[in-house]
Amino acid sequence: MTSSSSMRRDPALIPVVVTLWLALGLFIVYPFIKLLMTTFIVDGRLSLDNLMLVFSNSYDRLALINSIWLAVTVAAMGTFLGFVFALAVTRIHLPAPLRWFIAAVTILPLISPPFTSSIALTLSLGPNGIILKFFGIPDFNIYGFWGTWISESLTYFPVAFLTITSVLACIDPNLEDAGLSLGGSPFRVFRTVTLPLTMPAIANSILLLFACSLADFATPLVLAGHQFPVLPTQAYLQITGMYDLKGGAALSFALLVPALLVFVLQRFWVSRKSYVTVGGKSGAQTTVKGIGMAGTAVVMAICAAVIAFILFLYALIVMGAFTKAWGLDNSFTWESFAYVFDHGRKAMIDTLIIACISTPIGGLLAVTIAYVTQRKSFPANGLMEFVSLLNFALPGTVVGIAYIIAFNSSPIVLTGTMSIIVAAYVFRYDSAGIRSVIASLHQIDPSLEEASLSLGASSIGTFKNVTLPLVIPALLAGMKYLFIHSMTAISATIFLVSVSWSLLTARILECMTELQFGNACAFSVVLILLVFIFNGMLTLLVRAAGYNYRGQGGNL
Amino acid sequence: ATLNAYTVMPEKYASKVFEQFTKDTGIKVNFIRFSSGEALARLVAERNNPQVDILLGGPADIYTAGQKDNVFAVYVPKDQKLTPAEYRDPGNHWTGIGLIPLCFLTNTDFLKKNSLKAPESWQDLLNPAYKNGLQMADARTSGTATERIYSLIGVYGVDGAFDYQKKLHKNVQLYTKSGAGGAMPIAQGQASSGIFYLVDALDIQQQGYPVIITYPKEGVTFGIEATGMIAGAKNQEEAKKFIDWATSPKLGQFFVDQKINYIPVVKGVKITSPALDMSKVKLLKVGAEHKGDKRKAYVERWINEVIR
Amino acid sequence: MAVDLHLKDITKTFIKDGVKFDAVKRVDLEVKGGELVTFLGPSGCGKTTTLRMVAGFETPSSGRILIDGEDVTDVMVNKREIGFVFQNYALFPHMTIGDNVGYGLRMRSENSADIARKVGEALEMVGLKGAERRYPNQLSGGEQQRVALARVLVMRPKVLLMDEPLSNLDAKLRLHMRTEIRNIQKQLDITCLYVTHDQKEALTMADRIMVMNRGKVEQIGSPFDIYTHPRTLFVADFIGQANAIAGTLSAREGAERGVMKIGERSLTVKLISDAAYAAGDEISLILRPEAVTLREGMEGLLAGTVASAVFSGDRMEYMITLENGAQVSVMENYFPGAARYDNGTAVSLSFNSELTVALPCAAG
Amino acid sequence: MAVDLHLKDITKTFIKDGVKFDAVKRVDLEVKGGELVTFLGPSGCGKTTTLRMVAGFETPSSGRILIDGEDVTDVMVNKREIGFVFQNYALFPHMTIGDNVGYGLRMRSENSADIARKVGEALEMVGLKGAERRYPNQLSGGEQQRVALARVLVMRPKVLLMDEPLSNLDAKLRLHMRTEIRNIQKQLDITCLYVTHDQKEALTMADRIMVMNRGKVEQIGSPFDIYTHPRTLFVADFIGQANAIAGTLSAREGAERGVMKIGERSLTVKLISDAAYAAGDEISLILRPEAVTLREGMEGLLAGTVASAVFSGDRMEYMITLENGAQVSVMENYFPGAARYDNGTAVSLSFNSELTVALPCAAG
Ligand SMILES: Nc1ncnc2c1ncn2[C@@H]1O[C@H](COP(=O)(O)OP(=O)(O)OP(=O)(O)O)[C@@H](O)[C@H]1O
Ligand SMILES: Nc1ncnc2c1ncn2[C@@H]1O[C@H](COP(=O)(O)OP(=O)(O)OP(=O)(O)O)[C@@H](O)[C@H]1O
Ligand SMILES: [Mg+2]
Ligand SMILES: [Mg+2]
């Protein structure tokens, strides 16, 4: 469907596109514009004073530069780690339990309830940190760029891992065979064939991580200290500390410029080539030949180190959950869990309900947006793609505030309802799903869809029976991400939670601010368990629905 | 009848308070807790269609800041006279319910290791032994931090206060987002000392960590925990009942009975806890002109002069 | 029941190496209901592209496509009731063979017992009985191709578009499949376009053949017509081997006949009726190697000497140097006892001039 | 320079529909340096699998592979210096045609001027001059196949493994490519395994042919051998058409000769030397349709009546009913003036019994 005749040819899709635009318009564009107006219309006139004021301040200019630098480095490191892990599970012969273990560990940092992991990190790498003591490193100052970078890279690399794995698994190993038979060493074949074919995933993962890091204020809030101001944190402080909503919002809008730039770059980068590796003529079923001894060694070493570090951090949390008073009275106790089940049951249930509602909606939305923008030629497809990314690239606080401003007065009043929380999650965290499905779609030969159409399936039928099952790994990745964030995200929802809905992470945050470290840890442990259980169920559910395709290549 | 509320008090206190209120009046309360800045941001954003009826707790200055956006309603509580005038808004937007002084919180292991005495003067914190060891709140997010500035102004005057902080900055390891954020690291020995509201310091001490609470002999200021009604509240009657209840001796006595570490301001409540006994502490009063409007200027000055 | 198909002057323009380029150039073709037309032409001449436009995967840059008189140029693929066998199979990698073959039937909501039965039959027809549960990547190339074929045949579509459906099958199976396809097609009166590179396939299966070259139609006609009366040198040479022996037209004898001079010899040749010939024009006599009989001696229509003789199983391939120096390739069935001519032997060439044609040289 | 290849009893077992199944069963083949062996066999018989094991994409379930005497069974693909043309092309979708073809040269770190020149030459050879900058998805099926071919030929590997490299090309181009491949292969003394479904290709290109069936080798031999002396009915029938006329062996005359009784007639036939025949055995005479000459009358080796006669362009295809009721197909070159026999005509069949063989019936 390269021609622009989709609309004429396929009127059935028009309602779909209209619905998408309505949804995006309502939950992304409308709040965005409302916030823009609040920010830049002063006394009924357009005024950029807010922005000017902010950027006349050299500290904020520094913050912008820092933000971009941080986002670039986090995107690079996170994508690198994600790629290495993806290689481990798809291109190295490992026993299945070990692969599952690796994949499971990478989920941990994603779950990392806000603040708990940062605390664990400061306990290990901070002043007097356990790891520093162990290795006898004296003067490492975690507060600043390094701490933030380490923490964000660690937190976000799983996003890259999920995106890249689903694409890597679908690369036909016959192509690698071809490279080998032309005399390339396993490593060179990896570099010249496998790696470039993963480009759609890499580009999208970079985009995601860049936006993620650009919008994240929580990590820098704890770890950046004052020498390394970043913009989202500045915006947050401006709003909550200086009670200056407009200034804060204005700062956040500045973040959109680099995000847009990366978006355009990524599109350009990916659009120039073809990455179709899932075709209608299957090569022979073949085993992956790996990436060579040296490559394998490096990959395994990196994985082992990162996994050890992650496990260490989370072990601290688990220990925290079982000790009376961390660092003081390290005796074993169930008290924290008793507290959690006493006081946290409603939060658990509420959180689960919200996550369980958001996830399927988000999944559907992600795959439809990706499909329509990639496969159908409707006007403003590129715009739709970018709009869908907008909420992701803005700091959560700002999105939260935009939502209250937009949905707290007529015509649309949603505050206090669950739907506003669900909408905030779906339209913010769906980006991961959208981007990874897009990356995955690049791999699929359009002739498969043509075949389905020619066999009498409608566009919708084709989508359901052919496209969807082929992008299931990517979609599943996106849905997991959305689910996890629906369970753990806090920045946007702090403004949207209402008296009738209480969320787990809000409780964790409370425990942290009230210095109940043990309770916070216990909550975190429960959260982690819940996420694992539900993730597993999600996977099983999708399998049970008959979606079993896991790519022609790789092991996963 | 129900009442919807935001609170800035810690959850564990707020839930007890509201429970008692329900017991006393039969009015059910739904509430959520926020940090003070978040609470205000949310109230401002919801101005056109307020979701709650009252705000409980939080320093008086967020109430002052909120007045600009007409967030709070004017209401004169029944027992207004029982609260000294200096602890309530002359415009009747808010009324104080408790005081919390600043204090120093120091890790005793650290003191032992360095053979130091617990700090008893602001100047003690400038001791190079504390280098890279102090954690305290960031002025941009935390009421605790602004209170710190007011105290210093009270002691050293405006310019002197900033000069002092510039020196102090050399010893600071981290400015935390929340007022209490540094308390746990001090308890754990990651940091040595810091400046906190007494509530937070007591919290950590009562958990049994090796910390000591001291006060600077030059004096400290205190924050006023307040409460107020939201403009356009949907449950006006219930809101008024709550404000009446909260500003009456009932709540003050409840603080004392439940060992909630605020110092009640309402007349007729006797303080029993030795930790809240302020008789040996020099408490400073900062003129209203410094709070409110000046606050923003101070914070900016703090950003530009201290942390850079 | 059978629908007819009309490609009205369709063109498809691609951007190739930065410049516009017509992959298909004003192709005009009417196909009667139930007719089977094969597309024949060199690799890259636009066969697939034409077929894809008929199917609706591609929109023509200009021109219209009519099915049964109805303009379907802007109609969705799935509304066209066509069956398409892809050159690259386009099997669904995530479905078993059974699901692949049953896909279209499921889309039509047939009941599952029927589907299972039909799928079984179709697979049996292509020699893959019992392979229902396997996945495409567990099949050999030829097996995959047969699945692709079964998937479409099971649908009994009104219009069948096949893009080299048998290219990866062995000769025996190909013959078998060819017959099956032709049977189904005739039985159900399906209109069919069939791309193939196998000239024999094209000749034996087709009602008509369309020969394409560089996006343009060279000739459309019955197999016999195309074989015996190619209108251009290209067609002559493309369909089987052909010798083009240069000479001059010394005289015309009516619309379809003339006298041609080749070297010293004159012979009567057939001309194509609607081309412009004038006496004295250079013309080429198209002579198929297998249409020539060799005799020892010089008595035939043309004569020469054997330049090379190669035995290739069932036939002898000779290269003959004519008296005027031109090289002519000749093929004779070989059977034990048949005459063999050695290098240097003087031989004469005879052929039925009714079954050859002389083309104006410009027509190449 | 030329390396030889030894497949030592290799077997490959797959799990198919839940049961173990040998896709390749104890294949044993020695290929001399510089030899070209074609693999011929029905779709799904294990040709690709065998080739893939030689390349090293697949490890044999048992057996060894030796290149130049050295056991390479466990050597990585890239160390084997082979060139592999994939049945499904396996072009790199993200690289231009130029980069695809130059890939191997870059892996060898040749300098870029050389690479550009060689790539240009290779593309020219396959008729894709100037296509360097395009991407595989902008090429037609046949063009892609040619790129796949160029990508390997440009490498001049020591061992060339080709899996139906010409299946999507038109006859003309196929002929051309066949010659090119054969030239390069001979010139550089490359050892080559070549899978094809085109029997003609197999017969004309190969030094030797290996006929496979269901994973097993049926016969290995020179094209002439395979064609004239098939060892099994399968081979006989698979290579071209063959009539198998049943009869009994009435007497043996030495190792290679016997008297066969078909109906009332007796004739001397050739036997294969190393098979067990006994007088009185049922045997089948393998007779190729094109090896038979028809005469009017009853004087030949066999006789019958014409059951059907079909004209197919250059030949006549007859079906003859023998005196004993067996059906025999016969093909004769047709040229104007040649004799034609109508239905019902009594004809006699003659053939050179040296060029046919009679097989024990069990050999089918
Ligand atoms: N991964 C696999 N699992 C199970 N069976 C397989 C697998 N790969 C191939 N086969 C089977 O092995 C047999 C041999 O396959 P192979 O690809 O070698 O055939 P081939 O001779 O190349 O056939 P073609 O001419 O059709 O390409 C086939 O019957 C095929 O179905
Ligand atoms: N997307 C495209 N962009 C540019 N050129 C293209 C594109 N698709 C096809 N072409 C060109 O159009 C021409 C016709 O292609 P088409 O696939 O119709 O050929 P074909 O006749 O089917 O050839 P084959 O027999 O090799 O399959 C070819 O020269 C091809 O290179
Ligand atoms: Mg084609
Ligand atoms: Mg094969």
Side-chain angles (χ1 to χ4, degrees), chain C residues 20-21 41 64 66 103 112 125 154 162 168 195 211 241 243 247 277 281:
Chain C
K20 280 195 175 180
F21 134 91
R64 310 258 85 196
L66 281 68
Y103 186 83
S112 56
M125 185 188 76
V154 79
M162 310 211 199
N168 284 89
V195 173
V211 182
Q241 263 177 281
N243 299 291
Y277 297 90
D281 279 3

Side-chain angles (χ1 to χ4, degrees), chain D residues 45-61:
Chain D
C45 71
K47 304 179 294 295
T48 300
T49 309
T50 310
L51 228 53
R52 288 174 54 81
M53 287 189 283
V54 177
F57 302 143
E58 214 93 60
T59 325
S61 309

Side-chain angles (χ1 to χ4, degrees), chain D residues 50-267:
Chain D
T50 310
L51 228 53
R52 288 174 54 81
M53 287 189 283
V54 177
F57 302 143
E58 214 93 60
T59 325
S61 309
S62 73
R64 311 258 87 198
I65 292 164
L66 280 67
I67 296 184
D68 246 356
E70 197 186 325
D71 188 334
V72 296
T73 321
D74 296 319
V75 170
M76 264 298 272
V77 185
N78 59 320
K79 298 275 159 59
R80 297 192 187 192
E81 291 194 71
I82 50 110
F84 197 98
V85 181
F86 287 79
Q87 195 170 8
N88 74 341
Y89 316 156
L91 297 182
F92 304 125
H94 61 295
M95 292 185 196
T96 60
I97 302 312
D99 287 345
N100 261 286
V101 176
Y103 185 85
L105 302 174
R106 283 203 308 284
M107 290 300 117
R108 257 192 220 156
S109 314
E110 303 205 358
N111 78 53
S112 56
D114 274 4
I115 294 180
R117 183 179 47 75
K118 288 186 184 175
V119 167
E121 283 169 12
L123 284 178
E124 180 153 12
M125 186 187 76
V126 297
L128 285 171
K129 198 176 159 181
E132 276 94 342
R133 314 277 309 269
R134 291 159 74 194
Y135 282 93
N137 66 349
Q138 300 172 318
L139 296 187
S140 81
E143 286 165 347
Q144 290 180 30
Q145 191 165 43
R146 285 180 271 160
V147 174
L149 198 59
R151 184 173 69 173
V152 168
L153 290 180
V154 78
M155 295 289 291
R156 312 280 189 246
K158 287 193 184 154
V159 178
L160 194 49
L161 309 171
M162 310 211 199
D163 199 352
E164 302 188 33
L166 309 176
S167 61
N168 285 90
L169 303 184
D170 57 278
K172 281 261 163 308
L173 199 54
R174 200 175 319 178
L175 206 66
H176 166 71
M177 290 315 309
R178 219 190 267 171
T179 329
E180 290 282 358
I181 293 173
R182 193 64 167 139
N183 282 347
I184 293 179
Q185 186 260 333
K186 284 222 167 120
Q187 214 175 342
L188 301 174
D189 218 8
I190 297 171
T191 311
C192 181
L193 300 181
Y194 189 105
V195 173
T196 178
H197 276 312
D198 186 331
Q199 291 159 11
K200 186 142 184 207
E201 204 164 284
L203 289 167
T204 54
M205 283 185 87
D207 293 316
R208 279 192 299 156
I209 295 178
M210 172 164 105
V211 182
M212 293 182 74
N213 189 25
R214 298 165 182 246
K216 284 200 289 211
V217 175
E218 289 272 334
Q219 186 170 358
I220 305 180
S222 72
F224 184 81
D225 221 39
I226 298 256
Y227 193 79
T228 56
H229 295 117
R231 299 182 55 89
T232 61
L233 276 177
F234 174 83
V235 175
D237 195 46
F238 194 78
I239 306 279
Q241 265 177 279
N243 299 291
I245 305 169
T248 43
L249 184 66
S250 45
R252 271 196 92 144
E253 298 180 347
E256 293 213 326
R257 217 162 295 274
V259 178
M260 180 180 185
K261 212 164 143 57
I262 301 174
E264 302 299 299
R265 295 187 181 238
S266 280
L267 52 162

Side-chain angles (χ1 to χ4, degrees), chain A residues 179-203:
Chain A
L180 290 170
S181 77
L182 288 166
S185 65
F187 182 71
R188 286 193 78 181
V189 170
F190 162 73
R191 225 189 57 215
T192 50
V193 178
T194 318
L195 183 65
L197 282 173
T198 323
M199 214 36 100
I202 293 177

Side-chain angles (χ1 to χ4, degrees), chain C residues 14-16 21 23-24 41-50 87 163-164 195 197, chain D residues 134 137-143 146 168:
Chain C
F14 285 122
I15 305 294
K16 176 159 144 178
F21 134 91
V24 173
S43 172
C45 71
K47 304 179 293 297
T48 299
T49 310
T50 310
Q87 192 169 11
D163 200 352
E164 304 188 32
V195 173
H197 277 313
Chain D
R134 291 159 74 194
N137 66 349
Q138 300 172 318
L139 296 187
S140 81
E143 286 165 347
R146 285 180 271 160
N168 285 90

Side-chain angles (χ1 to χ4, degrees), chain A residues 123 236-237 241 243 497 514, chain B residues 11 38 42 62 140-141 190:
Chain A
L123 279 178
Y236 176 81
L237 296 180
Y243 313 138
V497 283
E514 289 166 27
Chain B
E11 167 98 15
E38 283 164 352
R42 192 161 166 167
I62 64 167
R140 288 164 298 175
T141 38
Q190 290 173 42

